[in-house]
Amino acid sequence: MTGVLRHRLMWPVLALVLLLLLNQGFRSDFLVVRLQDGHLYGSLIDILRNGAPTLLIALGMTLVIASRGIDLSVGAVAAIAGAVSCTYIYNSDNPGSFATAATAVAIAVGAGLALGAWNGFLVSAIGIQPIIATLVLMTAGRGLAQLVTDGQIISVSNESFHAIGAGYFLTLPISILIAALAFAGAALLTRWTALGTLIESVGINPVASRLAGVSARRILWIVYVFSGFCAAVAGLMISSNVTAADANNAGLFIEMDAILAVVIGGTSLAGGRYSLVGTLIGALIIQTLTTTVYTLGIPPEVTLVFKALVVILVCLLQSPKARTLLRQRRQPAPARPATKAAA
């Protein structure tokens, strides 16, 4: 029992369960999942589907943070991916065909890989601090997306493209299956090969890793390219769900939700330690918080404050120092030695 309580994922899991029970208390059918017309429906399915873009971006962010970096440009990359894909479909001679949708997806993923490689180049080859290197693309990325869309919201009509964010396969939303596939692929690559250990070694001490024969530059390139890939796929989900590209609002502030999900999941911001399962739980907490806001009818002006309070509470519960202080307050004070009776 003590081992379970000391597990670093215990408090995030408990917070997620409490949030779900809170919603169940206000809505009796919140945890009900029903099968209708061959598709699964319910609030739990909605949480998984709407949280899929955040989970994807958080996966890439986890590996970047594990290498002692950070990627602030993922929201802009998602906006660019949606912009280039929708613009290509809109200007295509056959905008409703499967081939057009497949080409648009390939262009968006290629753009994400190229932008991730650009971030990796700035960080690993030029030596710019990750927060500065990615801040450049974060600032310029939405401007680039607006140039692609000519400052307009590009609406498209393509069933194959729409299926990425709103379609179903094997009774489940396709976005959930894509996120699950990405999670499984990242777990296999980082936990069943030496890649995860190399990322952690670079995050702990890049100089020592280089002296030990680890190519820190190559590892950094890999994690930033993977982050760009995840952001591009998330951008495709967001734009296909609404069948439109909105360069101003697509993926806005999603990098903050991704960083919060990573931190809640127990990944160290100092690098060298990460947990993909923890990131998954963190992303589910973030999305469940959003759903809770709508369920409880919390006014929009206090939504961010409510989310911030819950995140702070979870982070405090995870903090070893906070838990030590709480444990000390619970333990009775040691009895003072009996004083000798006055002579």
Side-chain angles (χ1 to χ4, degrees):
M1 186 64 181
T2 304
V4 174
L5 292 177
R6 289 182 179 178
H7 197 281
R8 60 182 178 180
L9 295 182
M10 187 267 177
W11 294 109
V13 170
L14 181 61
L16 179 60
V17 172
L18 289 177
L19 280 174
L20 293 175
L21 293 178
L22 176 64
N23 284 279
Q24 177 65 25
F26 281 85
R27 277 184 48 193
S28 59
D29 61 340
F30 184 82
L31 298 178
V32 176
V33 176
R34 64 185 185 280
L35 183 64
Q36 182 176 341
D37 298 331
H39 301 157
L40 290 176
Y41 290 96
S43 298
L44 294 180
I45 301 297
D46 291 339
I47 289 174
L48 292 174
R49 181 179 59 189
N50 296 330
T54 303
L55 172 60
L56 269 176
I57 290 182
L59 282 177
M61 189 72 75
T62 300
L63 299 187
V64 170
I65 290 178
S67 66
R68 200 185 282 191
I70 198 163
D71 190 350
L72 298 179
S73 67
V74 286
V77 174
I80 293 173
V84 296
S85 58
C86 288
T87 302
Y88 176 80
I89 294 175
Y90 182 79
N91 294 323
S92 173
D93 294 333
N94 191 4
S97 69
F98 173 79
T100 300
T103 307
V105 170
I107 293 174
V109 172
L113 293 173
L115 294 172
W118 168 254
N119 284 333
F121 170 75
L122 293 180
V123 174
S124 64
I126 305 299
I128 301 177
Q129 289 290 329
I131 192 172
I132 302 299
T134 56
L135 185 62
V136 173
L137 186 55
M138 177 186 178
T139 305
R142 293 198 177 273
L144 182 59
Q146 290 184 13
L147 286 176
V148 173
T149 60
D150 200 19
Q152 305 294 321
I153 296 178
I154 306 296
S155 299
V156 297
S157 177
N158 186 302
E159 290 298 325
S160 300
F161 183 74
H162 185 54
I164 297 174
Y168 281 80
F169 183 70
L170 296 176
T171 72
L172 284 173
I174 292 178
S175 56
I176 295 178
L177 299 176
I178 293 175
L181 188 63
F183 180 85
L188 287 174
L189 285 176
T190 57
R191 291 307 183 194
W192 285 18
T193 70
L195 181 60
T197 304
L198 295 178
I199 293 174
E200 288 179 334
S201 66
V202 171
I204 293 172
N205 193 327
V207 177
S209 300
R210 179 171 55 82
L211 294 176
V214 177
S215 178
R217 288 185 176 181
R218 186 179 302 173
I219 297 299
L220 291 177
W221 275 72
I222 290 174
V223 297
Y224 281 98
V225 168
F226 180 70
S227 179
F229 168 77
C230 291
V233 178
L236 284 171
M237 284 184 186
I238 295 170
S239 58
S240 68
N241 192 30
V242 295
T243 61
D246 187 352
N248 287 323
N249 297 312
L252 189 63
F253 300 134
I254 199 170
E255 59 271 3
M256 299 304 165
D257 284 346
I259 293 172
L260 279 176
V262 174
V263 172
I264 291 174
T267 296
S268 171
L269 286 175
R273 189 189 68 184
Y274 70 95
S275 170
L276 294 179
V277 176
T279 297
L280 169 63
I281 297 171
L284 292 178
I285 289 177
I286 295 296
Q287 187 57 46
T288 306
L289 268 177
T290 303
T291 304
T292 304
V293 167
Y294 295 125
T295 303
L296 301 183
I298 296 175
E301 55 269 20
V302 298
T303 296
L304 294 178
V305 177
F306 173 76
K307 292 177 69 174
L309 289 175
V310 176
V311 170
I312 290 173
L313 179 61
V314 175
C315 292
L316 283 177
L317 290 175
Q318 284 183 277
S319 169
K321 190 170 184 178
R323 291 208 302 265
T324 302
L325 291 175
L326 184 63
R327 196 179 303 118
Q328 289 176 350
R329 288 182 63 87
R330 288 178 177 174
Q331 292 176 349
R336 293 182 179 180
T339 56
K340 295 182 179 178

